[in-house]
Amino acid sequence: MARRQLNGDGRRARLGIVVPSVNTVMEPWAQKVVPQGVSIFASRMFIPPAMTPDAFIEMDRNEGKAAIRQLSSIFPDAIAYGCTASSIVQGLAYDAHLRTEMEETYKVPSTTAAHAILTAAKTLGIATVSIVSPYTREVDEAEHRYFAGAGLTVVGGACLGIADGFALAEPEPDTLFELGMRGFDERADGLIMTCLNTRSHTVIDRLEQALGKPVITSTQATLWHALRLAGIDDQIPGCGRLFERH
């Protein structure tokens, strides 16, 4: 697909992000912090508030392709599939197939939240991690299996047990900071905090200072990888070592 150049806010790059319909965090935050000249465009996939593995699978099958197709019409420089849990519950092979399908169908660099986290971990030299999330125990355990299957050694973790997708955005920064501290194991090279509908980016710097280790979040890693795929290498203050050094 040929890139169409336009004047205006997207003169440097246009990023397309697909999010579940309950997500109220990723789009406004990304629009606020992206470098000048970069635009964020989002499309949504309907999902009911009650989050179960079956709900994520149904969302992807019924809504995912249409949402990606919508974004393709603005000729983005990169597309990010912004749902960590959908990749987690369907596995590494599914995630790789999804990325390949996006890239081959629309001829645009593409990533997913889960792949962005793994790419960030590799970039930061992280091999042993603690993982925390706002999810239910069922989804959280699937998440640990996913990242272990991808080659990371998982030591330590914690979750908040939130089952309502809209409510994932409710935890305040102090709650998220405490979650990260509670779930971190000193043997880990870094901390991963998942979910794009959780304001994890608000505590990255605070946690890195307290732990002395890098922190990767779904929101931060997804935006970082989409920007880098689009050729934008600007640093973003307040988003941790990932954005400061890479």
Side-chain angles (χ1 to χ4, degrees):
M1 180 180 297
R3 161 104 162 110
R4 293 187 183 178
Q5 184 66 42
L6 298 173
N7 293 324
D9 288 341
R11 62 190 179 279
R12 292 185 66 195
R14 295 188 293 275
L15 306 183
I17 300 179
V18 182
V19 293
S21 57
V22 294
N23 190 310
T24 61
V25 170
M26 185 62 187
E27 187 178 359
W29 172 72
Q31 289 174 336
K32 181 179 179 180
V33 302
V34 288
Q36 187 174 3
V38 176
S39 294
I40 299 290
F41 299 90
S43 60
R44 294 181 174 272
M45 306 175 287
F46 179 78
I47 188 170
M51 293 196 323
T52 65
D54 286 344
F56 289 116
I57 293 170
E58 183 178 355
M59 176 191 73
D60 284 342
R61 289 177 178 172
N62 295 338
E63 304 276 340
K65 288 186 178 181
I68 297 165
R69 185 184 180 195
Q70 289 175 27
L71 287 176
S72 72
S73 63
I74 56 101
F75 300 92
D77 295 282
I79 292 177
Y81 198 86
C83 183
T84 322
S86 69
S87 293
I88 286 165
V89 301
Q90 296 180 83
L92 288 160
Y94 163 80
D95 186 85
H97 173 77
L98 174 60
R99 286 182 281 115
T100 299
E101 187 174 54
M102 288 192 291
E103 291 179 344
E104 291 183 351
T105 302
Y106 299 109
K107 311 303 179 187
V108 58
S110 301
T111 190
T112 65
H115 181 64
I117 289 171
L118 289 169
T119 303
K122 183 177 180 180
T123 300
L124 289 164
I126 295 172
T128 302
V129 298
S130 293
I131 303 175
V132 299
S133 80
Y135 298 133
T136 62
R137 178 65 61 185
E138 180 185 18
V139 176
D140 188 68
E141 290 175 351
E143 183 171 71
H144 285 218
R145 291 192 297 270
Y146 181 92
F147 287 112
L152 296 177
T153 299
V154 180
V155 291
C159 65
L160 294 178
I162 298 174
D164 183 300
F166 185 75
L168 292 169
E170 291 182 356
E172 296 292 335
D174 283 349
T175 300
L176 297 174
F177 177 78
E178 292 166 3
L179 174 68
M181 295 298 292
R182 174 163 54 92
F184 187 74
D185 186 300
E186 291 184 356
R187 295 172 293 172
D189 303 323
L191 175 69
I192 293 173
M193 185 178 290
T194 59
C195 183
L196 278 87
N197 198 26
T198 296
R199 292 175 287 164
S200 52
H201 46 272
T202 63
V203 294
I204 294 172
D205 279 358
R206 188 176 167 192
L207 281 168
E208 286 193 340
Q209 291 174 12
L211 300 173
K213 302 286 181 67
V215 174
I216 300 169
T217 79
S218 289
T219 50
Q220 164 226 45
T222 301
L223 181 60
W224 167 81
H225 200 206
L227 284 166
R228 299 309 184 247
L229 288 175
I232 304 298
D233 60 2
D234 300 43
Q235 297 178 348
I236 297 180
C239 291
R241 298 184 194 181
L242 182 62
F243 263 115
E244 290 174 1
R245 304 179 184 179
H246 304 280

